[in-house]
Amino acid sequence: MCGIIGILGNHQAAPLMVEALKRLEYRGYDSAGIATVSDGVLDRRRAVGKLVNLADLLVTDPLTGFAGIGHTRWATHGAPTVANAHPHRAGRVAVVHNGIIENFRALRAELNGQWESETDTETVVRLCEHFLDDGMSPKDAAFATIDRLEGAYALCFLFDGEDDLLICARAGSPLAIGHGEGEMFVGSDAIALGPLTDTLTYLEEGDRAVVTRAGAQIFDAEGRQTHREARRIRMEATRIEKAGHKHFMAKEIHEQPQTLSDVIAAYTDGDRIVPPSTYDWAATDRVQMIACGTAQIACSVAKYWFEALARLPVEVDIASEYRYREGPIGAQTTALFVSQSGETADTLAALRYAKGKARAIAAVVNVAESSIARDADVVFPIHAGVEVGVASTKAFVNQLAVLLALAIEAGVARGTIDGPREAELVAQLRALPGLVSSALGIEERCEALAHRLAEASDILFLGRGPMYPMAHEGALKLKEISYIHAEAYASGELKHGPIALVDRSLPVVVFAPLDPLFDKTVSNMQEVMAREGQVLLVTDSDGAAQASDGVWDVLVMPKVDPVFAPILYAIPAQLLAYHTAVHKGTDVDQPRNLAKSVTVE
C-alpha cells in the first residue's frame, strides 16, 4: 500500500526520493509528496496522481537539501487531494505515515484548532508540534506523540532546523533502516532502498528509532535501547524491470516456469518432499488456513489437497473475519497463514489472535523478513521473487506449489501416502514447470478471445472440486484488472440461483479438466448452453474431444494428473484477464483503487 522513503545523505535528496518512490509504485497510490530540510529550513511539495506530476512540479518549483522524507499515498481517510497528500506538516515538523491511527478523532477533539486535511495523519503532526511548543526536543516530542497513538503505523518525522535527524517508528506496518557510508535511509521495504544500500535493519513491532548520519539508536516498545541485527540483502531481490514486456504482469506470467522450478527444487530432494523448514504434521489433528484475496483462494485449493492426500481436516478463513468470529482453536490445530507480502494487515492481526492458542503458527510467505514470517513458528518460503503487478500471478502459483508439497509431506507423515506414491507425486511435481511452459502457448488464443470478453458487462466462471476455487481465481483476476463484473460458482450450484443470469449475452468460462468430476461439469455446462449462454470451455484434448459440441470456444490445456490441475489452470485464468484488460485499455499493473501490499485493515 503506501510507500515511505527517508534520506539523510550526502547528495541532493529530492531526485533520490523520487526514484525510490517510483520503485514503490507497484504498491498502489493516488498521490505523492516529499519534504526536505535545506540550510535548516523545512519545505515540501505534493501532487495528486502519478509520480510524474510530482516530478513535473519539482522542475518548476524545486526542493533542495540533503535530508528528506517522501511518500506515495493510497487514500484511506479523505479523497486523493493535495491537502490530504503526505508529507503532512504542522509548524516545525513534517510526517509521512503508512497505516491508520484509530484514535485520531479523540486526539483531534483534544487538540482543537483548524484542520487542513481529512486525514488521520495530520493529527500526528499537530500532536508533535504541540509537544514541541511545550519545550520538548524533537526526539522527545516524537516519542511522546508515538506513545499517544493507537492503531497501525509506520512513521517517519522530519524537523525544521534539523538536517541530520529522522525519527521513525513502526507498529503493525513494516519499516526498515538502511545503512550507508556516512548516510542513512528509511524505507517501507527493501525495494525502495535497493539502489541506495544493501544493508538493512528491520524494525520490530513497537520499535522506534533516532536516525542520524552516524547511525541509528533503536528503542523497543518499552522504551529500552535495544539492538536489531543489520542484514545484507541480495541486490537481485530488489531489481524491478519489465525485461522487454509491455507490463510487469506479462513478465511475471512468463516467469512462472522458472519460479515454479525454483520452488519445487527447494521443496524436493530426489523422489521425496523435503521442505526447507521441518514440521510434525502427524501431531496435528486439524489445519486452519487463513489469508486474504488470491492467497485465500490458494488456501481453498489446498483444502482439497490436504483432505484428499493427508486425510487432514482443513478450515479456510478470510483473515478479516477470522478473529472477530472468535472460533475455537484446538490445542492440536495448526494455524497456517498465507500472504505474498507477509505484511497483509488482516492476516497479521489474525495470526496474533491465534498465537498461543494453536499448536503452532505456520506461514507461507514470499518475503523472509516480513512481519508474518518473524511472528510465525515455522516459515515456508515460496521463492517467487519480486512481484510488481497488483494482480498476483507467479506468487499465487508458487503458493499453490508450496501448499501441495506440504500436503504431500503431511500425507507421508500421517501414513496416507507411501513411498512409491510420494515418488510418483514428486515426479509429476517436477514435470509441472514444463507443462506450465506448454500452457503459455494458449496466449494467442486468449488474446483473440479477449476481444469478445471485453465487450461483456458480466462474466460467469464455473468449476467443480479444486476447479471451483480456480473459478474464483479467474473471476477475481478479471475484476481486478479489467473492471468487468465477474462471479464464480461451483458448477453444481448453478441451478440454485445463478442460472437466472444466463442468456446469450453472458460469457461463461468453465474450467473442466478430464477428471472424475468432468461428466458432472459437462452436464452443468449443457444447462448453460440450453439457455443460450456462451460457454468458453477450458479443458484438455480428451475433454475437448468429448464435450466441445455447441460451445462458443475451447481452450485446450496440456494433460495433467487432476491433483496438479489447479496449478496449470492458473495460466488461462491469468491470460484471459490480462488480455481482456489490455484490450480495454485499463492500467494492468496498477488497477484503480487497488494496492499490492494491503497494510491497513
Side-chain angles (χ1 to χ4, degrees):
M1 197 161 282
C2 307
I4 285 175
I5 182 68
I7 291 179
L8 296 175
N10 299 318
H11 307 279
Q12 289 294 325
L16 295 176
M17 288 192 291
V18 170
E19 284 304 309
L21 292 177
K22 285 180 181 178
R23 296 171 62 81
L24 293 174
E25 284 189 294
Y26 76 99
R27 296 169 69 101
Y29 70 105
D30 40 46
S31 63
I34 64 172
T36 62
V37 174
S38 179
D39 294 327
V41 178
L42 175 66
D43 202 358
R44 65 177 168 165
R45 302 288 183 269
R46 300 176 293 171
V48 173
K50 296 297 184 183
L51 272 163
V52 66
N53 298 332
L54 177 64
D56 288 347
L57 175 62
L58 289 168
V59 170
T60 58
D61 194 7
L63 275 182
T64 59
F66 295 167
I69 55 176
H71 192 265
T72 50
R73 175 183 185 251
W74 186 83
T76 53
H77 293 78
T81 64
V82 171
N84 289 332
H86 295 219
H88 284 280
R89 179 180 182 179
R92 292 161 286 175
V93 58
V95 167
V96 290
H97 165 222
N98 292 351
I100 290 178
I101 306 303
E102 294 178 354
N103 63 331
F104 82 99
R105 290 183 180 85
L107 292 173
R108 276 195 172 210
E110 179 182 322
L111 290 167
N112 294 317
Q114 297 294 314
W115 298 90
E116 297 178 356
S117 77
E118 304 166 83
T119 69
D120 53 337
T121 308
E122 188 184 356
T123 311
V124 178
V125 288
R126 291 293 187 95
L127 187 59
C128 189
E129 175 68 5
H130 167 76
F131 288 127
L132 289 172
D133 287 342
D134 282 349
M136 289 188 180
S137 68
K139 173 198 166 185
D140 291 341
F143 280 23
T145 299
I146 295 162
D147 287 339
R148 296 290 312 279
L149 304 180
E150 298 173 8
Y153 52 79
L155 292 163
C156 193
F157 295 77
L158 182 70
F159 296 90
D160 190 79
E162 301 283 349
D163 61 4
D164 190 24
L165 178 67
L166 295 175
I167 307 291
C168 55
R170 69 148 292 179
S173 194
L175 203 62
I177 296 172
H179 305 263
E181 294 292 331
E183 299 179 296
M184 293 291 286
F185 312 96
V186 175
S188 45
D189 64 24
I191 290 175
L193 299 178
L196 301 171
T197 178
D198 65 352
T199 305
L200 300 184
T201 296
Y202 289 90
L203 295 185
E204 296 189 6
E205 187 68 7
D207 281 357
R208 57 197 67 178
V210 179
V211 183
T212 67
R213 288 179 177 81
Q217 287 182 305
I218 300 175
F219 302 83
D220 64 18
E222 306 302 320
R224 299 173 298 229
Q225 190 164 348
T226 188
H227 173 74
R228 304 296 184 210
E229 180 183 357
R231 307 183 185 191
R232 298 290 291 273
I233 58 171
R234 295 180 296 110
M235 295 307 292
E236 61 268 24
T238 68
R239 190 170 293 125
I240 298 180
E241 52 192 28
K242 293 180 182 175
H245 292 275
K246 185 177 181 180
H247 300 99
F248 282 110
M249 184 178 177
K251 168 179 174 279
E252 288 154 8
I253 288 172
H254 285 271
E255 285 177 341
Q256 288 174 120
Q258 183 59 57
T259 56
L260 188 57
S261 179
D262 291 342
V263 75
I264 291 169
Y267 279 77
T268 58
D269 184 6
D271 57 3
R272 297 181 59 234
I273 296 290
V274 184
S277 300
T278 58
Y279 186 68
D280 184 6
W281 292 104
T284 194
D285 63 7
R286 181 174 296 273
V287 179
Q288 290 184 337
M289 295 185 182
I290 301 99
C292 299
T294 295
Q296 191 267 342
I297 293 171
C299 292
S300 296
V301 175
K303 174 182 172 70
Y304 288 90
W305 288 332
F306 272 81
E307 293 186 344
L309 297 174
R311 310 308 299 164
L312 189 56
V314 174
E315 299 171 8
V316 178
D317 270 280
I318 297 170
S320 57
E321 296 291 330
Y322 176 70
R323 63 183 174 131
Y324 297 113
R325 69 179 178 85
E326 297 183 354
I329 304 173
Q332 299 307 312
T333 296
T334 298
L336 190 150
F337 296 83
V338 182
S339 168
Q340 182 270 327
S341 68
E343 302 293 349
T344 310
D346 288 313
T347 308
L348 183 58
L351 183 155
R352 289 170 178 162
Y353 169 79
K355 203 168 181 66
K357 301 180 181 73
R359 177 181 180 272
I361 302 294
V364 174
V365 295
N366 198 31
V367 183
E369 300 296 339
S370 63
S371 299
I372 288 174
R374 291 200 299 269
D375 281 6
D377 301 313
V378 57
V379 178
F380 300 106
I382 69 169
H383 300 291
V386 175
E387 185 178 73
V388 176
V390 165
S392 182
T393 51
K394 62 179 181 172
F396 173 67
V397 164
N398 277 32
Q399 285 169 353
L400 289 176
V402 168
L403 290 167
L404 177 54
L406 296 180
I408 297 170
E409 184 196 26
V412 172
R414 293 168 60 81
T416 59
I417 295 177
D418 60 17
R421 176 59 172 156
E422 181 184 13
E424 177 189 352
L425 289 167
V426 169
Q428 293 183 80
L429 191 62
R430 289 181 179 277
L432 267 178
L435 291 173
V436 168
S437 184
S438 296
L440 289 169
I442 67 170
E443 182 160 18
E444 188 174 334
R445 288 291 307 128
C446 290
E447 186 174 3
L449 293 167
H451 290 261
R452 166 70 180 89
L453 295 177
E455 296 171 354
S457 57
D458 303 277
I459 296 177
L460 198 62
F461 287 76
L462 300 178
R464 276 186 179 264
M467 289 296 107
Y468 167 45
M470 291 310 298
H472 274 286
E473 174 63 6
L476 178 61
K477 283 287 170 288
L478 196 72
K479 282 183 282 196
E480 283 181 309
I481 62 173
S482 77
Y483 315 148
I484 294 173
H485 174 251
E487 294 288 347
Y489 283 92
S491 300
E493 281 293 293
L494 187 67
K495 56 188 171 291
H496 296 292
I499 200 167
L501 299 172
V502 175
D503 60 23
R504 68 180 61 188
S505 69
L506 182 71
V508 181
V509 182
V510 181
F511 290 139
L514 190 65
D515 60 15
L517 295 171
F518 178 76
D519 289 339
K520 293 187 180 297
T521 304
V522 170
S523 294
N524 302 134
M525 191 174 80
Q526 294 291 340
E527 295 169 355
V528 172
M529 292 190 295
R531 290 153 180 85
E532 300 186 297
Q534 304 299 297
V535 170
L536 171 57
L537 175 61
V538 185
T539 186
D540 51 43
S541 57
D542 290 340
Q546 293 185 33
S548 59
D549 288 348
V551 302
W552 159 44
D553 216 320
V554 182
L555 281 175
V556 179
M557 300 292 292
K559 294 181 184 179
V560 67
D561 185 300
V563 170
F564 301 91
I567 294 174
L568 195 61
Y569 279 62
I571 302 304
Q574 297 165 2
L575 289 174
L576 287 170
Y578 173 75
H579 284 290
T580 301
V582 170
H583 185 70
K584 289 193 67 180
T586 60
D587 191 337
V588 172
D589 288 331
Q590 297 172 40
R592 66 188 183 199
N593 303 332
L594 295 179
K596 183 65 175 173
S597 178
V598 183
T599 54
V600 296
E601 285 193 72

